Amino acid sequence: MSLEIKLLGPLEVEAGGRAVTIGGERRIGVLARLALDAGQVVLTETLLSDVWASSSAATATKQLHIVISKLRDTLGPGVIETVPGGYRLAVERDHVDVHAFAHLSRQARAACADGATATADALFRGALELWRGPALTEVDAPWAGIEAERLEAERLSVLEDHAELRLAAGDQRALAGELAGLVRAHPLRERLTGQLMLALYRDGRAPEALETYRRLRRAMVDELGIEPDAELRRLHQAVLAKDSALDLPRTRRLEHVPPAELPADVQAFTARADEADRLRADLLSDVMVTVIDGPGGVGKSALAVHVAHGVAGRFTDGVIYVNLHGSTARLAPLAPIEALRHLLRSLGLDGAAIPSDAEEAAARYRSLTAASDLLVILDNARNVRQVRPLIPAGPGCRVLITGRDPLATLSNARHLHLGGLDDANAATLLARIVGSGRLEAEPRAAEEIVRLCGGFPLALRIVGARLAARPDRPLSHLAARLADATRRLDLLEYADLAVRAGLAVSHQQLREEPAGQDAAHLLCLLGLADLPTYTPAATAALAGWPEHRAETALEHLLDARLLEHAGPDRYQLHDLVGLYAREQDLPDDERASATRRVLHHYLATAQRAADLLNDHTEAGMYATDQAGEELPTLEAANAWLVEERADLVATVRQAARLADGSAVGLAHHLLWLFDRRGWFAEALEVGAEVLRQARERADWQAQVNLLQGLAGIHQQVGDLQESVRCLEDALACVDRTESSRRKAGLYNDLGITYTQMKRYDDALNALRGALAITQEEGRTLHEGMVRSNRAQVYHRQGRHAEAVDEARLALSLTVKDQGNAGAVGTAHDTLGDCLRARGSLEEAVGEYRVAIECQREAGYTMGLAVSHWWLGHTLYDLGRHEEARESWRVSLAILREARLLTPEEEARYLAQPVPDLPEAIKNQL
């Protein structure tokens, strides 16, 4: 496993490309001490002395063994070796940033001595970029303080050596600002002060150079009682005399016309007003580098060129445009030396004057741009390695880069991510290409074309070109052809424009990179799962990989702009990328096994969620060989359900379409889980399709499970006759199975539905049957639920004393059986209803409040809405009208969030002094 340890700043450890957290002061201390001598033996006595200075030898030795064991568990086997007399960290020294810094610094100084200034500059920069802050800050020990001081002294020495090199290269303007901050932090460091004086002088700021010397002299005399050294005093005299020896020899530049290389602006440029304003502001501010990233075909180049045309006049030394071909079909990306030749020719050098070595060419480029006022457009960049040598040195220069890679490691850059156009702007772009009259003549077809292009300007330009070439054909003709997903990418190709080709470039680039091969394969697999979003856990199941490997591949696809962010730890495929993914070849057996794994991953996790939320009655109901996600708590189960709502619906649909064995289990759990959240419409749709398949197979047990779930949903939406029909069908199916255990639940649900229908005698008969079974089988919790429902019948019949007694008994049984928070909350709510009906309003308020807390804990959304509603009425009857309105407001907000009310309906209810009973509440007991 590859291990990286970073001590030059806050401790960071990466194992196998993933961040690893090291907890505990002594673990950090031991790891840091071993890392400083990576590859070498660190004696046990040294570790004990440095890390356990104040502990007894016996105790410290035992603790050291424990710390080493814990570090091995965290970092993996073989990383920390036990050797005679001590321990050794078995990693390459350059994988510890302290040693990498020392190594690069030595190489940089050697390159300076050999006159290879460009190489030295790159090496110095690489070394200094390793510093992210003060070293060893997490280790509070004397040895760490000494080592941190040594490292800081070496950093300053390297900074000074690099500053010397940059002064010789004419980088005085940028250097002056950096050195000023260093001198303020180290006011007695003479070499730094001398370098700042020289940089200021060469930048035409001699008075500031002299003031810098005076500040140093005062500090040295006041604090140390000595004068600056002889070399600094001579520099001071040379600045006073304006000695020409201090001047930098100027490179002679050929006279030439300032470049003006921008491509023509896009006449149909549309939207992006906010993005264009931001880019213009960046280019006219002190932001040196701006990067526009986004997927292929989203309009990055068009935006860059459009904005550059608007600000080109501000750059007196011209505008250079280079297409780096980072993602151009059938063309290799430009090598840095090729791009540098273009840049140097644009700056006036002839061919013979351009160095053949890339590092020398980059140094020449920096020299020529050190005092320039130049705009450089680097279009279609591949990666940071390609563009880093192309950044000019002058503070008056600005660089605008476009690419699919976000170039996140590029220094001093501001980033703008570009997504697709919204429907309105996409329609405007299409209208500019084909004419607004054609869109107005067929608005529905135009809307469909815009939707199917997914906001991609490239796709819109292609369909616009097709329509412009066929003015006699209606838009509906093209819309119908685009609607065929198997043909859409074929139609999104015209002349030299093609969506598929752009996607294929990014895909192929991943295949060519060793670190990207997992991502390239994963893209093909993602096309198999019809999911709106992908999590690392679901993706790991799909691919059959560990989760960390799946997450790394997802991040690579994100960087390649073949995936989009859809929230924390969640990704999505653009529709057009999804079509491309589904086109890719995979063996049939791999397709089948991958699809089955992801479906069963959702089955296993849904089963775990239902088990937690339904008091462990769902455990092991459906067999699956997938582990699913860990859901340790009710809170985790509810959070997963909310986050995975759309993915669960899509998974059931796909399982049903494929007639996969997971379909029944998924639909069964979805019906119950969605019922308690109020997500009724989706549950009815997917449940009905899976039920149809179960009937075709004569799968009686599946029909029982699905019919009971559907009955509950029908009852919730007020379709009571259909609810009764489903429950009666389910009872008939139970008679065809070997188990009658399910009859108790079906009788209980019939009792609820009959109560809603005001068929109270039928309800009591059904509940009596349910009660007999639960008592016979000793199912105390379920007996409590049945009695709770019977209490609801009693209070509706006006039998208030019996209702309260029955509700109290139901609550005691539920609590006695340690029912989950949802069941306990329902029991308290029922007791509140019975007390309110009897006129015991203050007692009812207390029960409703307990019910609300329990149901909130359980994530039982519908129960929460009901309890809040009737709490509001109880408070109103007590004359506490403001509290009542707040309780109604919460209830209505829950119904709106569950999409059982529109915002307009919610507002109408809230406008009433005492709101009418919403249908969604009326359908609840």
Side-chain angles (χ1 to χ4, degrees), residues 556-596:
H556 273 105
L557 287 171
L558 185 68
D559 288 342
R561 295 301 177 240
L562 291 168
L563 272 184
E564 300 171 356
H565 261 307
D569 294 325
R570 196 168 290 275
Y571 309 80
Q572 64 185 10
L573 280 172
H574 187 279
D575 288 348
L576 298 180
V577 180
L579 293 176
Y580 172 84
R582 284 190 278 279
E583 289 182 345
Q584 306 310 300
D585 287 331
L586 284 172
D588 289 344
D589 59 343
E590 183 176 10
R591 285 176 174 272
S593 59
T595 304
R596 183 186 183 280

Side-chain angles (χ1 to χ4, degrees), residues 158-180:
V158 171
L159 277 166
E160 289 168 344
D161 289 348
H162 189 213
E164 209 71 48
L165 183 72
R166 292 173 66 185
L167 281 169
D171 195 15
Q172 60 271 2
R173 181 169 295 177
L175 190 58
E178 297 172 28
L179 289 174

